[in-house]
């Protein structure tokens, strides 16, 4: 029986560790029949080592999503490797340390600007770099952390994720005519590289221990990866501008 991504070609960013959502997205995508190409920055060699743990080999290309020269060469490199694309996964987020951990009121604009550029504007940049490769339409899927709320310690990554969510909606609006869908997965907290960079992350994670209707496992990124793969597939042909929660149900809970 063929997988739900049989014949699909997918570019996936953000594979930094085996514990990352992006790694499990790539793993499940390959298991479901996709050809996968990975991007990495600033250490492509690290991603190449992690990629060896995938079911099948995957080429790794260097891509800094804030670098116009890097973005300009994506089309040629991917076209040579895969011929085109059917899906793009944005799993990129970064904020300087002074934008996190309780420093919200004192973070300088330069640090906020960096967080916004890398974590939100890059969704537009990456999508536009890949758009010429999606001649028959496609699916863009990003990763957010529910920006409806002000979370402990998360500080300026909260507004950056809110900007990411708005960017996804506007991309969905403007790219629908080209049959390109843009959706997000809102995942619960995971013990990933991104999480380890947030001071006091354990305080944030306690929310899930206390409020998740479904038992939440911070060491298991595969449910979120499966959600990404589902949105990459043709099983959501008319869904765009959506945020699908893979968070154990915490987003539905009141007090």
């Amino acid at each position: 029986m063929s997988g739900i991504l049989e014949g699909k070609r997918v570019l996936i960013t953000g594979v930094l560790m085996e514990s990352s959502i992006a790694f499990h997205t790539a793993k499940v995508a390959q298991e479901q029949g996709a050809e996968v190409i990975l991007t990495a920055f600033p250490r492509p060699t690290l991603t190449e080592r992690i990629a060896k743990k995938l079911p099948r080999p995957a080429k790794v290309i260097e891509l800094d999503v804030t670098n116009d020269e890097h973005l300009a060469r994506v089309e040629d490199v991917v076209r040579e490797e895969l011929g085109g694309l059917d899906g793009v996964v944005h799993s990129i987020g970064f904020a300087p340390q002074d934008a996190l951990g309780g420093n919200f009121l004192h973070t300088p604009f330069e640090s906020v600007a960096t967080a916004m550029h890398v974590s939100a504007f890059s969704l537009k940049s990456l999508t536009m770099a890949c758009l010429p490769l999606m001649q028959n339409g496609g699916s863009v899927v990003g990763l957010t952390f529910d920006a409806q709320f002000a979370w402990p310690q998360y500080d300026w990554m909260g507004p950056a994720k809110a900007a990411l969510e708005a960017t996804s909606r506007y991309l969905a609006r403007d790219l629908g005519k080209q049959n390109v869908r843009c959706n997000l997965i809102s995942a619960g907290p995971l013990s990933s590289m991104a999480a380890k960079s947030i001071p006091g992350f354990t305080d944030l994670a306690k929310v899930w221990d206390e409020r998740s209707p479904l038992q939440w496992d911070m060491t298991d990124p595969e449910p979120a990866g499966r959600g990404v793969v589902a949105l990459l597939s043709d099983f959501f042909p008319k869904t765009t501008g959506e945020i699908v929660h893979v968070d154990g149900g915490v987003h539905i809970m009141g007090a």
Side-chain angles (χ1 to χ4, degrees):
M1 183 177 178
S2 61
I4 63 173
L5 293 187
E6 194 67 38
K8 301 288 188 187
R9 300 156 299 176
V10 181
L11 179 143
I12 301 175
T13 65
V15 176
L16 296 176
M17 300 175 65
E18 196 172 352
S19 61
S20 68
I21 295 173
F23 174 85
H24 285 267
T25 297
K27 176 177 176 288
V28 175
Q30 286 188 340
E31 290 170 349
Q32 292 298 319
E35 293 183 81
V36 168
I37 188 167
L38 307 177
T39 77
F41 188 80
R43 295 174 59 194
T45 54
L46 175 61
T47 299
E48 287 169 357
R49 288 200 298 271
I50 300 299
K52 291 178 181 178
K53 299 181 180 182
L54 291 170
R56 298 198 303 276
K59 183 177 177 66
V60 178
I61 62 174
E62 184 179 25
L63 175 61
D64 174 2
V65 288
T66 68
N67 185 314
D68 289 341
E69 291 181 5
H70 283 206
L71 290 163
R73 69 187 185 214
V74 165
E75 180 183 352
D76 289 341
V77 174
V78 175
R79 194 178 298 282
E80 182 178 348
E81 185 71 16
L82 298 180
L85 284 176
D86 304 287
V88 176
V89 178
H90 180 279
S91 181
I92 299 168
F94 172 76
Q97 283 296 300
D98 62 356
L100 300 164
N103 198 47
F104 184 86
L105 297 178
H106 306 290
T107 303
F109 176 71
E110 291 77 12
S111 296
V112 174
T114 297
M116 291 290 179
H117 192 176
V118 178
S119 306
F121 185 79
S122 65
L123 177 63
K124 192 278 293 188
S125 303
L126 178 66
T127 300
M128 294 307 294
C130 294
L131 189 61
L133 297 159
M134 294 188 281
Q135 291 297 306
N136 298 314
S139 175
V140 178
V141 185
L143 290 162
T144 188
F145 187 73
D146 203 331
Q148 298 178 85
F149 307 105
W151 296 104
Q153 311 297 332
Y154 207 48
D155 292 351
W156 281 100
M157 275 303 293
K161 288 299 188 182
L164 174 74
E165 292 176 9
T167 300
S168 179
R169 288 189 287 269
Y170 278 89
L171 285 171
R173 181 197 69 178
D174 289 351
L175 297 179
K177 292 182 177 65
Q178 293 165 257
N179 197 31
V180 173
R181 298 171 283 125
C182 193
N183 297 289
L184 300 176
I185 290 290
S186 181
L190 294 161
S191 301
S192 63
M193 178 77 80
K196 291 174 181 176
S197 69
I198 301 172
F201 176 76
T202 53
D203 294 336
L204 180 61
K206 285 178 185 175
V207 175
W208 266 256
D209 292 336
E210 297 168 357
R211 303 181 68 196
S212 181
L214 297 173
Q215 185 175 7
W216 185 253
D217 184 354
M218 286 207 311
T219 66
D220 184 10
E222 186 163 315
R226 285 176 175 267
V228 175
V229 168
L231 287 172
L232 288 170
S233 78
D234 293 332
F235 280 79
F236 288 87
K238 300 299 179 185
T239 297
T240 196
E242 187 60 88
I243 301 175
V244 177
H245 289 79
V246 182
D247 68 346
V250 165
H251 72 285
I252 68 168
M253 301 300 289

